[in-house]
Amino acid sequence: VVVVGGGFGGLQAVRGLRKAPVEVTLVDRHNFTLFQPLAYQVATGALSPAEIAAPLRSVLKRQQNAHVLLADVTGFELAQQQVTLENLANGQPPTTLHYDTLVVAGGSRYSYFGHDDWHVFAPELKSLDGAIEIRTRILNAFEAAEVETDPERRQAWLTFVVVGAGPTGVEMAGQIAELAHDTLRGDFRTADTTSARVLLVEAVDRILTSFPESLSAKAQQALEKLGVTPLLGHMVVDIDGDSVTTRTPSGEVERIPARTVTWAAGVNASELAGMLGEQSGAEIDRAGRIVVEPDLTLPGHPEVLALGDMVQVRAGDGTITPMPGIAPVAIQQGRYAAKLIQQRLHGEPVEPFRYRDKGNLATIGRSKAVADIKGLKLSGFIAWVFWLFLHLFYLIGFQNRLLVLLRWLVSFVTRGRGARLIDDRL
Ligand SMILES: Cc1cc2nc3c(=O)[nH]c(=O)nc-3n(C[C@H](O)[C@H](O)[C@H](O)COP(=O)(O)OP(=O)(O)OC[C@H]3O[C@@H](n4cnc5c(N)ncnc54)[C@H](O)[C@@H]3O)c2cc1C
């Protein structure tokens, strides 16, 4: 079995096969699995990169039937049952890897709505590199404000824009506000970090649209209390090194001088979905996701499964029930893939994949969150405690759980952030 992608979905598939009489090769372009839900805490200096990433080799150390291969998957030959690999660690030319069963879980990447040129001014939080880059930009902006003598330019350094008010954007904006108004208060002699503006720009008229309206409203109140200004109904129409330009539905255009912008808007499926679609003729939706059969296989290729952020699943009646691009979907699909492979080996019938929706959670800042769990709406401290334990539970590796818990306890008490390092390689 070849599994492409050691994220939430792929890793579950590999682990689910630990007792199966198969040899598994996990291919990933990174040597670690990243816990993306906490990337924003790295971007704001609350956690260190290593605390939200676990080396794949150590995660799978005891699983004797699992092999890890560090490489980029750059293509598929479905007819020959082969995966094309590039950028192997020894620098060898591209090579191929044969499979009997292939599981592809390549995830997604941020989409700049056709404006890829904005990426240089507004990095995204999808990768560890992205999180470290954002951290460096944010911390550097405060340093720049400290030495900037022109008041307008200083204000532009102290204006932070987050684009997209989904859970990631909300978490990010809340954390920048806490950093500026709380953690860094008194650290600078000239710049008044408490005068920093944090703008959360969202094209629709409320934040957290995947939550019920009442929770959106509560989250917005909590954000505003932290010092975040939501700019709802504002579409970003331009980003450059000095500013963000927005437009309202009535056509009002505003140019906001801001030196630090974070992108947390729409996502597109991994390029691997398109490659599989080209080879198999499977449908690709507008977000670049490949539409798989009810058992997660590619049409006409029962030996190939795809899952996680890069797929949509067709139901038995041919319709597509949209599933959110969140970790529980990928985890459940990864487990399902492992079970399916074993059921096939035993000649047992396979039920279609069914997603069990366990709810929706987003945190707003220190000790505030919103949760919608099967109709039960929670907000404030209780929701935050729930959020905290759930994230610790899913974080991979005992050591990381312990370290993150300690870090959170310390920052809760001291309001500090220990990982405020400017990476001067950037
Ligand atoms: C900032 C952020 C915050 C989030 N917060 C939450 C949250 O709070 N709760 C929640 O449920 N979900 C959250 N999500 C969504 C969640 O992280 C994804 O839904 C989940 O990671 C999807 O799992 P996956 O297995 O499909 O892909 P991923 O976990 O992204 O894994 C994909 C893997 O494939 C590898 N890969 C990709 N392409 C190649 C290639 N060509 N060759 C080799 N390897 C490749 C990547 O290196 C990666 O390891 C968040 C996402 C982001 C970006």
Side-chain angles (χ1 to χ4, degrees):
V1 179
V2 170
V3 177
V4 179
F8 280 100
L11 203 51
Q12 287 299 327
V14 177
R15 286 169 138 190
L17 289 168
R18 63 192 174 277
K19 293 192 181 134
V22 293
E23 287 297 312
V24 190
T25 303
L26 172 63
V27 188
D28 202 300
R29 54 164 64 127
H30 296 117
N31 76 332
F32 55 83
T33 183
L34 178 66
F35 193 74
Q36 290 171 5
L38 291 179
Y40 75 96
Q41 297 217 355
V42 170
T44 50
L47 294 176
S48 284
E51 289 159 1
I52 63 157
L56 287 168
R57 289 192 188 281
S58 86
V59 175
L60 297 170
K61 188 174 181 153
R62 290 195 180 78
Q63 186 171 332
Q64 290 303 326
N65 68 346
H67 308 259
V68 177
L69 193 55
L70 181 63
D72 255 323
V73 170
T74 54
F76 302 98
E77 290 293 339
L78 297 187
Q80 279 85 45
Q81 305 198 182
Q82 282 178 351
V83 174
T84 310
L85 304 178
E86 286 187 34
N87 298 326
L88 277 86
N90 64 349
Q92 73 180 72
T95 181
T96 56
L97 182 65
H98 176 83
Y99 59 82
D100 298 310
T101 301
L102 174 66
V103 179
V104 187
S108 54
R109 53 210 158 126
Y110 273 105
S111 105
Y112 284 78
F113 306 132
H115 293 278
D116 287 348
D117 50 313
W118 293 351
H119 183 261
V120 281
F121 309 117
E124 35 71 24
L125 253 186
K126 194 74 200 157
S127 60
L128 211 47
D129 284 349
I132 296 169
E133 182 177 353
I134 293 169
R135 180 179 75 185
T136 286
R137 286 188 188 213
I138 292 174
L139 296 174
N140 199 52
F142 289 110
E143 297 296 338
E146 175 79 348
V147 290
E148 180 58 70
T149 48
D150 177 84
E152 270 180 30
R153 282 205 294 263
R154 181 187 289 168
Q155 195 50 52
W157 282 115
L158 288 176
T159 301
F160 299 86
V161 176
V162 178
V163 185
T168 301
V170 165
E171 287 165 350
M172 195 60 208
Q175 291 273 314
I176 299 175
E178 279 189 357
L179 182 67
H181 301 157
D182 207 354
T183 316
L184 296 181
R185 182 200 284 261
D187 276 17
F188 290 85
R189 298 293 170 256
T190 313
D192 175 10
T193 63
T194 62
S195 70
R197 292 170 75 209
V198 183
L199 309 175
L200 179 61
V201 183
E202 171 57 56
V204 299
D205 62 356
R206 68 179 173 107
I207 66 166
L208 297 178
T209 49
S210 58
F211 285 78
E213 280 188 32
S214 60
L215 287 182
S216 287
K218 281 197 173 140
Q220 184 172 334
Q221 265 174 12
L223 263 186
E224 285 169 346
K225 224 169 151 192
L226 277 179
V228 175
T229 309
L231 294 182
L232 304 177
H234 282 63
M235 170 110 85
V236 169
V237 289
D238 196 22
I239 304 178
D240 58 30
D242 303 319
S243 66
V244 174
T245 306
T246 63
R247 192 175 55 220
T248 61
S250 57
E252 222 173 285
V253 174
E254 189 188 353
R255 183 180 171 275
I256 305 160
R259 301 297 301 252
T260 315
V261 186
T262 304
W263 189 262
V267 288
N268 258 349
S270 146
E271 68 280 7
L272 298 178
M275 292 177 198
L276 289 174
E278 236 169 66
Q279 291 258 318
S280 65
E283 189 183 329
I284 299 288
D285 76 1
R286 278 179 50 207
R289 289 170 298 202
I290 187 163
V291 180
V292 292
E293 300 290 351
D295 61 358
L296 308 186
T297 59
L298 292 196
H301 287 276
E303 76 288 0
V304 183
L305 291 96
L307 52 91
D309 277 5
M310 57 175 270
V311 310
Q312 279 292 25
V313 186
R314 198 182 291 288
D317 62 3
T319 58
I320 296 169
T321 318
M323 283 176 213
I326 54 173
V329 174
I331 289 172
Q332 290 179 31
Q333 291 181 340
R335 287 183 185 148
Y336 171 89
K339 200 169 152 205
L340 175 141
I341 292 168
Q342 292 173 86
Q343 283 173 323
R344 277 189 185 163
L345 283 175
H346 296 122
E348 293 168 6
V350 179
E351 293 282 315
F353 171 75
R354 272 190 47 222
Y355 171 54
R356 281 180 189 80
D357 185 355
K358 292 186 179 160
N360 222 348
L361 262 174
T363 171
I364 296 129
R366 191 172 175 269
S367 74
K368 294 262 182 324
V370 285
D372 176 23
I373 303 150
K374 300 192 174 201
L376 175 68
K377 299 186 186 74
L378 299 175
S379 59
F381 187 70
I382 297 183
W384 181 72
V385 171
F386 187 66
W387 173 91
L388 193 140
F389 281 104
L390 202 79
H391 280 68
L392 280 180
F393 178 76
Y394 279 106
L395 190 63
I396 290 180
F398 175 73
Q399 184 180 308
N400 279 352
R401 280 188 199 131
L402 197 68
L403 287 174
V404 169
L405 180 64
L406 269 175
R407 279 252 198 214
W408 284 347
L409 283 175
V410 171
S411 6
F412 191 79
V413 177
T414 64
R415 295 176 174 254
R417 281 161 198 269
R420 288 184 351 237
L421 307 181
I422 291 183
D423 190 331
D424 45 14
R425 285 169 305 165
L426 298 166

